Amino acid sequence: MEEIRVNLKKTEDKSYNIVIHEGVLKEIPSKLKEAGLGHKFAIITDSTVESLYGTDLSEGFTKNDLENKIISFPPGEQNKNRDTKAWIEDQMLENKFARDSVVIALGGGVVGDIAGYVAASYTRGLPYVQIPTTLVACVDSSIGGKTAVDTAHGKNLIGAFHQPWAVYIDVNTLLTLNDKEIREGLAETIKYGVISDDELFSFLEGNMHLIFSYDKKALTHIIKRGCQIKAEVVEKDEKESNLRKILNFGHTIGHAVENLSEYKISHGAAISIGMVAEGKLAVEMGLWNEEELNKLIKLFNKASLPTQIPEYMDANDIIDTMKLDKKSRSGQIEMVLPKRIGEMALIDKSYGIKIEESLIEKMI
Ligand code: NAD
Ligand code: GLY
């Protein structure tokens, strides 16, 4: 027998900056030119964001003598699929994007996830820059390198870890969002308060009116804290072996609720319901206290986010759906649960806590 070892143990620096700066959108082309990141830029976006910001961004690249092309697809989660990914890749191939190219993801989480996945696989990997334009994308999806598309079997099942080269956040782009999209981002921001930052939680309790008035200072504050928290977690556990699981608070029950509603309940609303349901389990298990759970419910009420599992949903269906979730291990349901506002429970050095089905049934 001949045995040849391929030695690939190496440390790779994938660090990047998240720039949060009002008006930065206009400055991005010159910044990328200065960095010498590439020669040709594929600006991947959806048609709504294209008309709001894409055309101006493309002109900025052109003014800086940087070759670029907008590749835009219709907005919506239903388009975050393999067909759209293939269509984007075909556009890039036809327009001769090669290894010296850069992907620009301009938009919400749908654009960021699909453009990131294109970047992960096109010519075996291109650098990409995230320019998030929704609150969800600013505080969550643009950071951490999870890229994916959905399939008929579930959301985000096909994808790759591929960290962006940089993230640029311009709070001005959030001013064209509607309240529903702000609520979607608030659900994730409230989650950060519970899992990691009691001060952020208190800030949200006292300043919800400012967020819904699109106050730039308040928005910038929650974006900055959201980015810091996500960055700290990803730095310690990029591939979700333990700590990163805390970002899934509310998502185990939340995904089941979202799925069983046939996606009529939005992700933000579903995870709010999920955080309250999982919080109730934490109280039932003696990990958390009821007083703080009630504070969480009150905060969701302030944000007009729902907190109750819809009556038409059956406990067994919720349990069966959770077992199929990619977060479950060998069919056993796992959740992350709070210990106090600002800290998650750790049992036997693990944040992922196995939950008995009978307890979930009783709680629902
Ligand atoms: P989205 O990308 O569908 O955007 C929501 C809507 O807002 C779209 O219609 C879009 O066209 C519009 N829009 C975007 N920016 C706008 C702006 N500035 N003004 C007006 N309209 C604007 O949804 P989302 O909530 O941003 O992201 C949800 C997606 O993110 C899901 O697919 C989810 O799986 C993914 N996600 C990924 C991660 C991750 O770590 N990769 C984390 C959280 C969520
Ligand atoms: N949104 C969950 C994560 O990035 O891990």
Side-chain angles (χ1 to χ4, degrees):
M1 182 180 82
E2 304 288 346
E3 198 170 284
I4 296 155
R5 182 160 178 79
V6 182
N7 286 302
L8 287 171
K9 195 171 175 188
K10 56 185 175 185
T11 45
E12 193 186 349
D13 187 357
K14 293 186 278 185
S15 313
Y16 53 95
N17 290 335
I18 302 166
V19 179
I20 307 166
H21 180 54
E22 191 183 336
V24 77
L25 191 63
K26 279 198 188 77
E27 299 165 14
I28 294 169
S30 60
K31 282 180 187 293
L32 297 184
K33 186 174 184 174
E34 208 176 291
L37 188 59
H39 291 102
K40 197 164 167 172
F41 294 80
I43 303 171
I44 301 177
T45 188
D46 70 31
S47 51
T48 304
V49 181
E50 176 186 8
S51 52
L52 287 167
Y53 307 108
T55 316
D56 284 355
L57 184 67
S58 167
E59 280 170 16
F61 276 103
T62 308
K63 273 187 198 141
N64 278 276
D65 299 319
L66 296 172
E67 201 180 333
N68 69 91
K69 180 173 170 57
I70 295 180
I71 300 173
S72 107
F73 58 92
E77 186 73 34
Q78 69 277 16
N79 297 307
K80 195 178 112 176
N81 56 39
R82 283 178 283 189
D83 287 346
T84 308
K85 180 176 182 270
W87 177 82
I88 293 169
E89 287 159 349
D90 287 345
Q91 294 289 305
M92 288 176 67
L93 290 166
E94 280 162 28
N95 285 280
K96 307 211 164 9
F97 281 90
R99 283 214 163 135
D100 62 347
S101 305
V102 179
V103 167
I104 306 291
L106 173 72
V110 163
V111 166
D113 278 12
I114 202 164
Y117 190 28
V118 167
S121 54
Y122 193 87
T123 62
R124 298 201 183 90
L126 292 180
Y128 75 114
V129 172
Q130 287 273 20
I131 310 176
T133 63
T134 63
L135 189 56
V136 168
C138 289
V139 297
D140 191 356
S141 59
S142 64
I143 311 148
K146 278 189 183 175
T147 73
V149 291
D150 304 334
T151 75
H153 297 274
K155 276 177 68 172
N156 297 326
L157 290 179
I158 308 287
F161 281 97
H162 188 48
Q163 299 291 343
W165 181 83
V167 182
Y168 292 104
I169 300 175
D170 188 339
V171 72
N172 284 339
T173 61
L174 301 192
L175 305 184
T176 49
L177 291 173
N178 57 33
D179 288 2
K180 184 196 160 286
E181 296 307 336
I182 293 290
R183 274 197 296 277
E184 288 296 297
L186 266 174
E188 300 288 356
T189 312
I190 292 171
K191 178 193 79 181
Y192 286 135
V194 178
I195 65 172
S196 180
D197 186 357
D198 53 348
E199 278 180 27
L200 175 62
F201 192 93
S202 306
F203 178 86
L204 291 166
E205 285 180 313
N207 295 285
M208 198 58 83
H209 61 292
L210 292 180
I211 310 287
F212 282 105
S213 316
Y214 296 75
D215 178 273
K216 289 191 218 175
K217 211 169 149 207
L219 284 169
T220 303
H221 177 72
I222 62 170
I223 290 169
K224 184 177 164 197
R225 271 314 286 145
C227 290
Q228 283 170 332
I229 294 166
K230 181 133 190 200
E232 278 162 23
V233 170
V234 171
E235 275 170 10
K236 290 184 187 139
D237 179 19
E238 186 191 359
K239 300 277 168 75
E240 200 173 304
S241 51
N242 191 14
L243 178 70
R244 189 165 179 167
K245 288 181 185 173
I246 68 173
L247 299 174
N248 295 329
F249 174 45
H251 285 58
T252 308
I253 293 180
H255 275 163
V257 167
E258 194 180 3
N259 194 316
L260 288 170
S261 78
E262 291 173 353
Y263 296 93
K264 288 186 186 81
I265 297 180
S266 72
H267 180 75
I271 62 157
S272 304
I273 293 170
M275 281 187 257
V276 171
E278 292 176 18
K280 282 182 184 163
L281 278 171
V283 171
E284 187 74 30
M285 291 165 75
L287 295 169
W288 202 23
N289 70 67
E290 198 156 6
E291 200 185 317
E292 287 202 339
L293 170 65
N294 288 333
K295 278 175 84 172
L296 178 62
I297 294 173
K298 219 169 140 189
L299 187 54
F300 282 136
N301 289 338
K302 267 192 181 173
S304 303
L305 282 160
T307 56
Q308 305 259 20
I309 295 174
E311 273 180 20
Y312 68 85
M313 281 185 196
D314 180 75
N316 290 323
D317 290 342
I318 295 178
I319 290 168
D320 288 345
T321 312
M322 283 193 285
K323 281 193 202 160
L324 294 175
D325 194 284
K326 65 181 183 309
K327 289 187 292 304
S328 69
R329 299 269 181 275
S330 343
Q332 171 118 46
I333 296 164
E334 200 181 273
M335 289 179 195
V336 289
L337 299 173
K339 181 177 165 188
R340 64 172 185 88
I341 291 174
E343 189 180 349
M344 297 304 273
L346 193 63
I347 296 181
D348 296 331
K349 297 189 183 159
S350 173
Y351 286 101
I353 300 168
K354 305 259 184 299
I355 312 284
E356 293 300 326
E357 283 179 34
S358 55
L359 195 65
I360 302 172
E361 215 168 329
K362 185 176 154 205
M363 190 276 305
I364 297 171

